[in-house]
Amino acid sequence: MEFTHYRSCNLCEAMCGLQIEVKNGSIQGFKGDPKDSFSRGHICPKGPELKSLYEDPDRIKFPLKRTESGWEEVSWVSVLSEIATKIVNIQSKYGNDSVGIYNGNPTVHNYGSMLFGQRFVSRIKTKNNFSATSVDQLPHQLLSYLMFGHQLLIPIPDIDRTQFFLILGGNPFASNGSLMSVPDVKKRLKSIQDRGGKYIVVDPRKTETAEHANEHIFIKPGTDVFFLLSIVHVIFKEKLTKPNPLVKEADLISIQSLVNEFDPETVSKITGIPKETIQRIALEFATAPSAVCYGRVGVSTQEFGALCQWLINTINTITGNLDKEGGAMFTLPAVDLVGEGSVIRSSPGSFNTYQSRVRKLPEFNDELPVSALAEEILTEGEGQIRCLVTSAGNPVLSTPNGKRLENALSSLDLMISFDFYLNETTKHAHYILPPTSALEHDHYDLIFNVFAIRNTARYNEPLFPPKEGMLHDWEIFTDLTKRIELKRSGKDLPEELIRTKLTPANIIDHALKSGPYGAKQNPDLQMSLELLKNSPHGVDLGPLKRSFPERLYTDDKKIQLFPNHLEKDLPRLKEKFQKHLVANQSLYPFLLIGRRHLRNNNSWMHNLPKLMSGKPRCTMMIHPDDANQLGIKNEEEVIVASKVGQLTIPIEITEELMKGVVSIPHGFGHNRTGTNQKVASQFSGVSINDLTDDQNLDEFSGNAAFSGVQVKIMKIKN
Ligand SMILES: Nc1nc2c(c(=O)[nH]1)N[C@H]1C(S)=C(S)[C@@H](COP(=O)(O)OP(=O)(O)OC[C@H]3O[C@@H](n4cnc5c(=O)[nH]c(N)nc54)[C@H](O)[C@@H]3O)O[C@H]1N2
Ligand SMILES: Nc1nc2c(c(=O)[nH]1)N[C@H]1C(S)=C(S)[C@@H](COP(=O)(O)OP(=O)(O)OC[C@H]3O[C@@H](n4cnc5c(=O)[nH]c(N)nc54)[C@H](O)[C@@H]3O)O[C@H]1N2
Ligand code: SF4
Ligand SMILES: [Mo]
């Protein structure tokens, strides 16, 4: 039998439409779906590898239990009963907080896991709830909460209509965009240039994106906050602010007085950006017909990540580009997670309502910063984590000071991992609960439609039925959650799986029908699951539209341009500013940053052979002058050391990097024993997070600060 299957790729944020040719039960062809109006036929090399993931012989399909003689395959019911019993016992003996949870990045790419995983988290009732948010976009969510009243009201660059796009710390050519779901980003950036606009990249590395930009500006890692303050300084000084009825005069006055001391001349000494450039960029931005400033991983994960996001929102607002075509806009997705009355409205957010036990780090949205995870396991006392549940995450490789976390994990009384790979994290588990892979389940993109540059909707059925006895993430969560509840109330645990009539698709159907494009709001379209099932290429809902003040959720219905909590972080900012101005010799003279590659996806797709071909990717990039000074040659192995650890890595000499800066990709380090990813271990590389420090944080938000880690480099003597 031959047929064509359409689905949207869930590997990264871009949500590309895929067209898959299937013959006699096997995939014969894979390409971009040209009829998908959002992705327009675009795909990257990772999309087709959903097939390799499906076929990967190392992929775990049935539950595993660690025994003295190794991993043993066990039945779902026995394993889920054992886990439920142990969790209930641990919580009744040591309290709810003795169970910790970590949700990794693929959770948000899997709507079943999101919907039912959240239920599980809420039933566990622990303060020790962590996720990849605090090594990523926490500052964005925090500032949206503080400024606009909802953590998911993230301003999205209106890339298809803007005339001036200022990108800081993002490399969409490699990442395909982030908090800006934008398939086909290369063409979209090129179109800005074709229509007479420009895009500018501010980055310590001349990236693939910067290579094609109208202008690339090198910046010293970790100093973006000063660059942004200085941009605001110029905008005020030149009286280029535009009035906005949603902005309070008092806030503008506070900001103007804050930015006063950050003049381009002083700031240029810190950032390495000439004062004329700062001045010019500010003027060009403020006077462009439309403009948008956007900062991503490189600026979110730095010492002042939250202030950076605040300033980015501020620049867009005071130049009249917030909630305006061609500026930073807000989405109206078919399943709305923001609007009041939405069926699955996400919490608007919460901040610092409690703190972590050991270091007193602030909560955001009922989560604590993952940089605190290791110490919460290792520090004895009431509330110590004794059991950890990880789901779709690999924190040993993805969170700072991975070695310390590794030690912590091996000391747990109980660890459970929802994952289909035996990797650097899950190898520490006592139980591995493997879900189906993407092609075996249905898909609706709950999250990335909220961050997309256009409103669209798409639902796809599974391509292959899972093997008999395999379960989806949401089915595992459903059973385990219920089994824990039964155990808590002293009831017998059933001998069969606990199923529910409620499926992720039912929930979505309800949300689509009652949402902004459902029959009531949009009688012409009448959005529903049925409609999406009959629209295999997706439904286009048009470009982003203005949405304020209706979708502004602050108490006074104004933009909080100078939010309350911000004041507390200003002494730290000013102290750092003064420190920067006093040049000092460091024992660790280089600043380390990360990077992404089109063919990697965080830590977890290194076991797919086609993605690993080509030049070795886990190298440390360094500028030729720095290499010369150290007397090291291209591809030579060197020792890199930070305050927390050291590793050995071959160097790649390139003028792409700013002098004094080195770059290592994250997600490698598959040289640990006890894993089972045969391809990945051949291309093991080393983990940058064995150098990053769990004590280095953006203290305001609690986000990890990966950008600009101080390191020294040593030649290996032979
Ligand atoms: N191919 C691929 N795609 C991915 C992923 C992947 O691993 N591989 N991961 C996905 C995920 S989880 C995310 S969150 C997104 C991230 O998407 P992006 O934010 O686009 O991620 P990066 O490519 O890491 O870009 C970060 C950039 O910040 C720069 N940078 C580092 N430090 C600084 C600094 O101090 N200041 C400035 N201005 N720049 C700095 C780096 O040089 C780099 O170019 O990508 C997603 N897409
Ligand atoms: N130094 C440095 N560190 C970084 C970054 C950086 O730029 N620099 N980037 C950070 C960012 S932005 C992110 S998002 C994090 C990512 O950090 P994590 O989310 O912790 O790590 P991933 O590598 O994405 O690991 C995902 C895991 O989920 C599993 N998995 C994949 N799909 C599914 C599924 O459908 N269900 C289940 N149950 N499991 C699945 C994979 O096998 C893998 O084990 O890393 C962060 N770490
Ligand atoms: S760009 Fe992202 S969504 Fe598109 S095919 Fe590649 S991995 Fe999939
Ligand atoms: Mo991420």
Side-chain angles (χ1 to χ4, degrees):
M1 194 182 64
E2 278 180 56
F3 67 97
T4 306
H5 172 79
Y6 296 98
R7 71 187 294 108
S8 115
C9 177
N10 69 334
L11 292 170
C12 84
E13 304 183 25
M15 305 189 284
C16 297
L18 304 174
Q19 180 173 320
I20 310 175
E21 306 303 332
V22 188
K23 194 172 170 187
N24 300 330
S26 89
I27 294 177
Q28 306 289 321
F30 229 110
K31 63 174 196 173
D33 176 359
K35 292 196 186 134
D36 183 311
S37 60
F38 184 54
S39 61
R40 315 183 297 201
H42 175 265
I43 50 168
C44 85
K46 292 185 294 301
E49 296 315 302
L50 283 171
K51 173 177 188 264
S52 314
L53 176 64
Y54 172 69
E55 292 168 353
D56 189 346
D58 290 340
R59 184 160 66 93
I60 306 166
K61 300 194 173 66
F62 301 102
L64 296 179
K65 176 179 176 178
R66 182 139 55 98
T67 67
E68 288 197 346
S69 53
W71 291 101
E72 209 174 89
E73 211 168 281
V74 278
S75 80
W76 281 111
V77 172
S78 71
V79 84
L80 290 165
S81 286
E82 252 176 68
I83 294 171
T85 307
K86 288 184 177 177
I87 288 182
V88 172
N89 288 345
I90 287 181
Q91 284 194 313
S92 54
K93 195 160 165 201
Y94 301 108
N96 287 348
D97 296 338
S98 61
V99 175
I101 300 171
Y102 173 81
N103 270 295
N105 168 276
T107 309
V108 281
H109 294 272
N110 177 332
Y111 85 120
S113 176
M114 269 214 74
L115 291 168
F116 289 79
Q118 269 170 8
R119 282 167 185 242
F120 172 77
V121 173
S122 71
R123 301 300 192 281
I124 292 293
K125 295 194 180 77
T126 175
K127 280 187 185 156
N128 284 314
N129 182 25
F130 307 88
S131 80
T133 292
S134 49
V135 284
D136 187 350
Q137 81 290 357
L138 171 54
H140 295 251
Q141 284 176 243
L142 172 62
L143 267 301
S144 286
Y145 167 65
L146 296 176
M147 297 177 81
F148 312 128
H150 198 291
Q151 56 168 329
L152 295 180
L153 268 176
I154 305 278
I156 310 299
D158 188 14
I159 184 171
D160 286 344
R161 291 179 292 191
T162 195
Q163 287 300 98
F164 192 98
F165 191 14
L166 181 61
I167 304 175
L168 291 89
N171 183 12
F173 272 42
S175 67
N176 284 293
S178 181
L179 295 188
M180 172 178 71
S181 290
V182 53
D184 208 8
V185 68
K186 272 190 200 178
K187 276 200 202 129
R188 288 177 139 116
L189 286 171
K190 172 87 179 27
S191 300
I192 301 180
Q193 298 170 324
D194 291 346
R195 59 178 180 261
K198 56 164 100 169
Y199 83 90
I200 295 174
V201 175
V202 182
D203 199 302
R205 178 179 153 230
K206 184 162 192 176
T207 60
E208 299 84 341
T209 311
E211 185 72 41
H212 293 83
N214 297 72
E215 188 174 348
H216 166 238
I217 302 167
F218 279 119
I219 187 168
K220 188 175 163 192
T223 66
D224 298 70
V225 69
F226 303 109
F227 168 72
L228 293 164
L229 283 160
S230 180
I231 295 277
V232 180
H233 172 102
V234 178
I235 294 170
F236 272 108
K237 191 157 178 224
E238 302 295 332
K239 301 196 167 39
L240 290 171
T241 57
K242 300 233 169 72
N244 182 333
L246 298 174
V247 169
K248 292 172 281 194
E249 190 58 31
D251 285 355
L252 287 172
I253 293 169
S254 305
I255 296 170
Q256 186 167 10
S257 118
L258 168 69
V259 298
N260 198 24
E261 64 183 295
F262 301 97
D263 59 278
E265 188 160 357
T266 316
V267 165
S268 80
K269 291 183 202 138
I270 296 174
T271 56
I273 304 177
K275 64 174 196 289
E276 299 77 19
T277 308
I278 302 177
Q279 178 86 18
R280 176 174 50 82
I281 298 292
L283 296 186
E284 284 185 16
F285 191 98
T287 55
S290 61
V292 56
C293 180
Y294 159 84
R296 216 25 297 269
V297 158
V299 294
S300 317
T301 58
Q302 54 173 265
E303 204 180 344
F304 292 99
L307 288 186
C308 282
Q309 290 311 324
W310 167 63
L311 287 160
I312 288 169
N313 290 346
T314 297
I315 290 170
N316 289 328
T317 308
I318 62 175
T319 55
N321 285 297
L322 186 79
D323 194 34
K324 188 192 119 180
E325 286 172 17
M329 300 197 78
F330 300 91
T331 58
L332 186 63
V335 173
D336 185 15
L337 304 181
V338 170
E340 267 158 0
S342 296
V343 175
I344 38 177
R345 186 182 198 224
S346 136
S347 148
S350 56
F351 181 53
N352 205 13
T353 57
Y354 54 89
Q355 295 77 32
S356 67
R357 176 180 62 114
V358 179
R359 221 189 315 169
K360 309 286 174 243
L361 298 179
E363 155 274 351
F364 177 74
N365 191 37
D366 295 336
E367 284 183 17
L368 291 170
V370 70
S371 293
L373 177 55
E375 70 204 19
E376 293 297 336
I377 298 173
L378 292 169
T379 313
E380 282 176 22
E382 211 182 307
Q384 177 185 10
I385 299 177
R386 292 164 190 271
C387 159
L388 182 71
V389 182
T390 71
S391 175
N394 192 359
V396 166
L397 296 191
S398 63
T399 65
N401 205 348
K403 279 250 158 75
R404 182 167 187 226
L405 181 63
E406 203 167 20
N407 288 335
L409 296 185
S410 61
S411 75
L412 287 163
D413 294 349
L414 177 65
M415 177 169 159
I416 299 129
S417 291
F418 285 63
D419 208 302
F420 40 58
Y421 279 123
L422 181 55
N423 64 20
E424 299 73 20
T425 296
T426 60
K427 72 170 209 185
H428 295 282
H430 298 92
Y431 300 92
I432 298 180
L433 305 177
T436 52
S437 75
L439 297 181
E440 296 154 312
H441 58 72
D442 66 351
H443 181 62
Y444 180 86
D445 222 306
L446 204 54
I447 285 295
F448 296 102
N449 281 307
V450 180
F451 307 140
I453 56 126
R454 207 179 160 81
N455 293 313
T456 60
R458 183 166 177 146
Y459 171 82
N460 300 110
E461 308 265 12
L463 170 53
F464 297 120
K467 259 194 181 169
E468 170 94 28
M470 287 179 73
L471 296 179
H472 304 304
D473 279 288
W474 69 270
E475 292 177 310
I476 312 171
F477 275 122
T478 299
D479 179 291
L480 186 58
T481 311
K482 188 72 194 162
R483 221 167 269 270
I484 288 173
E485 280 171 359
L486 290 173
K487 188 77 203 170
R488 274 184 186 150
S489 47
K491 301 216 172 83
D492 288 340
L493 299 182
E495 292 297 325
E496 62 285 338
L497 273 173
I498 306 173
R499 307 247 179 208
T500 148
K501 284 206 182 102
L502 191 69
T503 65
N506 296 151
I507 300 176
I508 292 305
D509 187 31
H510 187 32
L512 289 167
K513 283 178 176 152
S514 59
Y517 308 90
K520 202 163 150 206
Q521 311 251 33
N522 192 332
D524 296 336
L525 189 65
Q526 305 200 19
M527 178 59 78
S528 68
L529 193 65
E530 179 79 24
L531 176 72
L532 293 185
K533 281 186 179 170
N534 293 326
S535 319
H537 312 288
V539 174
D540 185 24
L541 303 167
L544 304 186
K545 292 199 182 81
R546 288 188 163 211
S547 45
F548 280 2
E550 293 76 18
R551 275 167 83 76
L552 190 54
Y553 290 104
T554 50
D555 291 342
D556 59 2
K557 281 270 173 195
K558 300 269 186 204
I559 296 167
Q560 306 304 316
L561 207 57
F562 197 76
N564 286 339
H565 293 271
L566 203 114
E567 201 96 47
K568 277 199 214 126
D569 206 28
L570 300 181
R572 189 173 70 100
L573 173 79
K574 293 190 177 177
E575 193 185 316
K576 189 73 194 200
F577 186 54
Q578 293 311 323
K579 257 197 194 155
H580 269 300
L581 291 173
V582 188
N584 60 339
Q585 284 278 318
S586 167
L587 288 173
Y588 299 93
F590 287 91
L591 295 177
L592 172 68
I593 60 168
R595 67 175 189 270
R596 282 178 163 74
H597 188 281
L598 190 58
R599 294 154 80 89
N600 299 334
N601 197 18
N602 297 323
S603 77
W604 73 276
M605 291 177 67
H606 294 154
N607 209 46
L608 309 178
K610 280 195 193 146
L611 293 178
M612 299 316 285
S613 57
K615 275 196 335 184
R617 259 170 254 153
C618 189
T619 59
M620 183 174 78
M621 291 182 169
I622 185 167
H623 189 275
D625 292 355
D626 289 333
N628 269 341
Q629 209 157 40
L630 291 161
I632 47 177
K633 294 197 186 63
N634 204 22
E635 296 181 20
E636 183 173 333
E637 294 222 318
V638 294
I639 296 170
V640 193
S642 70
K643 279 184 201 136
V644 304
Q646 70 171 51
L647 45 81
T648 305
I649 186 171
I651 63 158
E652 184 178 340
I653 299 180
T654 165
E655 291 195 342
E656 274 172 32
L657 244 70
M658 197 173 174
K659 274 189 222 170
V661 178
V662 289
S663 151
I664 299 179
H666 77 285
F668 285 91
H670 310 295
N671 45 359
R672 274 104 163 144
T673 54
T675 62
N676 184 29
Q677 290 192 291
K678 295 181 199 73
V679 179
S681 50
Q682 280 171 42
F683 299 89
S684 69
V686 288
S687 174
I688 186 177
N689 287 321
D690 291 345
L691 295 174
T692 58
D693 192 344
D694 51 339
Q695 304 297 311
N696 261 6
L697 291 181
D698 168 23
E699 284 171 25
F700 183 175
S701 65
N703 209 34
F706 295 131
S707 302
V709 177
Q710 295 185 327
V711 294
K712 62 181 170 189
I713 298 164
M714 290 162 287
K715 190 178 163 74
I716 302 178
K717 300 204 175 67
N718 42 18

